[in-house]
Amino acid sequence: MELVVTVLTAPFSGGIGVVLVAGRGARGVVASRFHGAKPGDLEPDSVRYGWLREEGQAGAIVDEVLVRVRRDDDLGVEAVEVSGHGGRASVRAITKLFVDAGARESSPTELVRCVAPYAGIDHVRVDAIEALPRAASLEAAIFLLGAFEGTLTRAACAAAADPSAVRALLARAPRGIALVSPREIVLLGRPNVGKSSLFNALLGRDRAITSAVPGTTRDLLDGMIVASGYPIRIVDSAGVEVPRDRIQRAGIERSLFASREAHLRVVLLDSSKPIDDDDRRIVDLATSAGTTILAATQCDRPWRLECDLEIPVRTSAVTGEGLDDLRDHVCRALGLAEPPPRADEPAPFNERQVRALEVLASGAPGGLGLLLGSEFGTGSDFRPRGVFP
Ligand SMILES: Nc1nc2c(ncn2[C@@H]2O[C@H](COP(=O)(O)OP(=O)(O)O)[C@@H](O)[C@H]2O)c(=O)[nH]1
Ligand SMILES: [Mg+2]
């Protein structure tokens, strides 16, 4: 594999910055710029402390580093991890040092795809390691770790000859997909019903400005909550009413757009007021866009919301009443009544995997190859890591 350099840490200020140099000649290139605190060569499976300097004995210092030389059989190619100081400046300087020495800069995604065939990593495991940095709940992260260890790969190989076993895997796809790609819900309702207050209460922080002045929320705000382990993106919208100005109109249009795009709509009704035509219009708009649930707000105040609609959830942003109940209803309405798949429970977690498994279930040739990559298509040359105790 050609020599590449990849920044592994996020591009923000932080304690350490890790850069991987991988491919043919990686050890030699790092050794040519590394000056160890103690003499010695860069041996595989070792960690060394020292400094990086520009080319030549008197080259300028670039950073103080720890260098970890990986075993060749770990990734299937020569690879050296260089941990320097965090922050853009040090990380850029280290990257440039190795680019000047002949390495090509590549993104983490590109690196994984380059290394995968050498390391024996099939496409499902590549999907897992690419999705892991974006996992939005601990359950999602652990599930993806399991998939990277080979949980789904092993199960698909074992099920390949048995369509009913493949269909059993496919039945878990909605939960796997929702765990890895958060579902989106939007809070809708008249101005002042308490959308932003409930949004803040669900998030556990004051993200949105709330006030008794109608029309306070003009743009869409979003945040992530975790319900029964599933990460769910929640969108607070501008109240839907006849707009008073251009900005409010734009906010309302965005609310309606979000309402159509979301996986679920939650229409909020103020329990301290009788239902009115605006409320009914919003309920109609929401239900015509897709699955919708109704929830009453401000239930710490006297109840005046007598109406013919069924309102299964009663909440108060002030007392916290009904928040757990709302999260439960949201999960059930999203089809996520069962807990998310665990690390050792094989479940497809993206559409590509679903399409490949459908081919496999149909008995058409090449399904396993579509899922895992053609070089793994027979299932026999799969090298599981299987390091979970
Ligand atoms: N007593 C009580 N007041 C609330 C509750 N939720 C919101 N409010 C008040 O209702 C007003 C409108 O709330 P806000 O969240 O801005 O409504 P939005 O326009 O729908 O986003 C504010 O004065 C809030 O303090 C609640 O659960 N209980
Ligand atoms: Mg608001």
Side-chain angles (χ1 to χ4, degrees):
M1 191 182 97
E2 70 166 317
L3 188 66
V4 297
V5 55
T6 302
V7 179
L8 298 182
T9 38
F12 308 110
S13 60
I16 60 165
V18 181
V19 166
L20 187 79
V21 184
R24 208 173 311 111
R27 266 202 306 278
V29 160
V30 176
S32 73
R33 303 294 190 272
F34 177 71
H35 298 254
K38 292 182 186 159
D41 294 334
L42 292 183
E43 301 291 347
D45 213 11
S46 70
V47 178
R48 297 277 310 278
Y49 166 72
W51 293 268
L52 290 181
R53 285 177 179 271
E54 284 175 7
E55 197 172 8
Q57 267 307 316
I61 294 266
V62 172
D63 202 0
E64 178 193 27
V65 292
L66 279 179
V67 163
R68 176 178 163 226
V69 187
R70 302 183 66 151
R71 288 161 35 153
D72 289 357
D73 59 357
D74 195 5
L75 294 178
V77 297
E78 277 182 49
V80 185
E81 249 170 52
V82 179
S83 304
H85 289 94
R88 286 173 202 269
S90 299
V91 170
R92 284 310 322 153
I94 295 173
T95 309
K96 181 171 181 304
L97 185 74
F98 294 119
V99 168
D100 290 346
R104 183 174 63 80
E105 192 174 354
S106 76
S107 69
T109 305
E110 205 188 331
L111 172 80
V112 170
R113 287 175 189 267
C114 284
V115 163
Y118 299 94
I121 300 176
D122 65 84
H123 288 188
V124 167
R125 294 180 55 213
V126 168
D127 289 344
I129 202 67
E130 281 181 4
L132 189 51
R134 289 187 302 278
S137 70
L138 182 59
E139 287 81 356
I142 290 175
F143 167 76
L144 287 167
L145 193 56
F148 182 59
E149 295 299 326
T151 299
L152 176 57
T153 305
R154 265 192 297 274
C157 291
D162 176 1
S164 68
V166 178
R167 280 195 292 276
L169 283 179
L170 276 166
R172 299 199 185 114
R175 289 190 298 134
I177 290 173
L179 185 58
V180 171
S181 303
R183 304 294 86 179
E184 190 166 296
I185 67 171
V186 57
L187 303 180
L188 296 165
R190 263 194 298 126
N192 265 357
V193 292
K195 295 178 295 300
S196 298
S197 302
L198 194 65
F199 173 78
N200 287 341
L202 286 166
L203 251 52
R205 61 195 165 96
D206 281 344
R207 170 86 170 77
I209 299 171
T210 62
S211 93
V213 180
T216 302
T217 309
R218 294 175 155 229
D219 212 338
L220 299 179
L221 292 175
D222 70 342
M224 199 73 84
I225 62 167
V226 177
S228 312
Y230 291 102
I232 293 173
R233 186 178 304 284
I234 165 167
V235 177
D236 178 26
S237 68
V240 180
E241 60 169 358
V242 177
R244 281 187 301 277
D245 60 40
R246 199 170 50 83
I247 299 173
Q248 199 192 8
R249 176 189 298 278
I252 292 170
E253 278 164 7
R254 284 176 194 204
S255 305
L256 296 175
F257 180 74
S259 162
R260 286 190 296 273
E261 294 292 297
H263 296 98
L264 176 72
R265 287 134 287 277
V266 181
V267 176
L268 302 180
L269 300 162
D270 183 346
S271 68
S272 68
K273 297 196 175 76
I275 191 164
D276 73 9
D277 289 346
D278 279 342
D279 289 318
R280 289 189 191 278
R281 208 162 51 84
I282 294 166
V283 172
D284 289 345
L285 268 172
T287 44
S288 66
T291 314
T292 298
I293 55 178
L294 305 189
T297 55
Q298 310 201 22
C299 294
D300 53 291
R301 305 173 72 191
W303 182 275
R304 301 220 170 77
L305 180 64
E306 299 311 335
C307 71
D308 50 346
L309 298 169
E310 202 205 327
I311 305 171
V313 191
R314 298 182 171 205
T315 68
S316 164
V318 170
T319 64
E321 175 196 343
L323 295 185
D324 285 340
D325 197 27
L326 178 59
R327 279 186 276 260
D328 282 353
H329 272 81
V330 162
C331 278
R332 261 179 275 145
L334 288 168
L336 305 174
E338 276 187 72
R342 302 175 315 267
D344 56 356
E345 189 181 349
F349 53 92
N350 64 32
E351 297 298 339
R352 184 193 72 75
Q353 296 167 1
V354 168
R355 282 194 301 276
L357 285 166
E358 279 166 354
V359 173
L360 195 59
S362 75
L368 205 55
L370 272 180
L371 181 70
L372 303 178
S374 52
E375 63 273 38
F376 299 94
T378 64
S380 58
D381 46 2
F382 167 57
R383 287 196 274 146
R385 294 221 314 177
V387 297
F388 270 176

